[in-house]
Amino acid sequence: MHITLQGSTFSDHFTKMSTQLASGDAPCLVAVQSLRTAQLKDGMLPLGDLVKSNNFDLSVFDKSMVDGLSADGNLYALPYDVGR
């Protein structure tokens, strides 16, 4: 397995990610803010089937975090931290 880390400044991160997602050249894993999930969802895969088939317990996360990483009834990302 080969892993390549990509980075960008915060101010460029979501512009770069949007471009990569739209072009089909996005990395396998991306960091998403909950407020940006809806705008980026078309380039990401819904995680619902993976969550179910792996018996992943979403109740360990605050519901508002899971809801924020969902759009159109589909979960697109998993929480990894919370900022206030």
Side-chain angles (χ1 to χ4, degrees), residues 17-78:
M17 187 187 322
S18 294
T19 301
Q20 288 178 314
L21 289 169
S23 70
D25 190 34
C28 294
L29 297 172
V30 296
V32 178
Q33 288 179 324
S34 61
L35 296 176
R36 298 181 192 260
T37 303
Q39 96 185 47
L40 298 170
K41 70 174 180 59
D42 291 338
M44 298 190 300
L45 297 173
L47 300 178
D49 289 342
L50 284 170
V51 167
K52 287 178 187 173
S53 68
N54 288 284
N55 297 317
F56 192 80
D57 184 8
L58 292 175
S59 71
V60 299
F61 300 110
D62 185 278
K63 183 178 178 341
S64 66
M65 294 171 73
V66 173
D67 289 348
L69 296 170
S70 300
D72 299 332
N74 293 305
L75 178 67
Y76 288 94
L78 295 173

Side-chain angles (χ1 to χ4, degrees), residues 7-17 31-33 36 80:
S8 58
T9 63
F10 182 78
S11 60
D12 294 332
H13 178 72
F14 293 102
T15 301
K16 180 178 179 179
M17 187 187 322
V32 178
Q33 288 179 324
R36 298 181 192 260
Y80 62 91

